[in-house]
Amino acid sequence: MLSTLDGEQLQQFAYTIWYIWSLRNKELHGEKRLVTNIAADRILQLLEEFNEATVKSTTTEVVFEQKWTCTLLGLVKINFDVAYDKGTRSGGVGVIIRDSDGFVLAATALRILNILDAFHAEVNGSFSSYTICS
């Protein structure tokens, strides 16, 4: 029978038997029995969550390598980069300040909280750079 199922059907079958097993164990240990249609809705919800998580985890991040270039004599260069996690609405910022010879004058890494979006994270990074320079 299982050999006749396609990938999605097999996944639904596996979740269904796992969920039935899980409900059976909960009932054996004294938990209240779930109504069948609620259990079926929960199986579909779990499948949807799994599929969304699987799609997210298979995305690949592209990293560009960019070398530092020096500034004009007497000037400093400020670089910052921000990482942002939409799920936790938090992120981090790294700031480094170098002179025209590449000597590090200051550097820091900070955690940032309550970020609304990626643009807000970049503004925080810019402000952190300004604060270090002040």
Side-chain angles (χ1 to χ4, degrees), residues 8 12 21 24 28-29 31 39 68 73 79-80 82 85 93 99 102 113 117 127 129:
E8 187 175 332
Q12 289 173 347
W21 171 83
R24 181 187 152 279
L28 285 174
H29 294 285
E31 288 190 33
W68 183 84
L73 188 60
N79 293 102
F80 72 92
V82 177
D85 183 344
V93 59
D99 66 12
L113 302 172
D117 54 25
F127 184 74
S129 300

Side-chain angles (χ1 to χ4, degrees), residues 16 19 23 34-46:
T16 302
Y19 201 73
L23 290 175
L34 236 92
V35 180
T36 306
N37 63 337
I38 294 174
D41 288 343
R42 181 68 180 134
I43 291 167
L44 294 174
Q45 181 184 7
L46 287 169

Side-chain angles (χ1 to χ4, degrees), residues 84-95:
Y84 163 64
D85 183 344
K86 185 177 180 180
T88 62
R89 295 186 50 216
S90 65
V93 59
V95 181

Side-chain angles (χ1 to χ4, degrees), residues 106-126:
T108 190
L110 305 167
R111 183 165 188 217
I112 46 180
L113 302 172
N114 302 315
I115 302 299
L116 303 175
D117 54 25
F119 178 75
H120 187 215
E122 290 292 331
V123 170
N124 268 274
S126 178

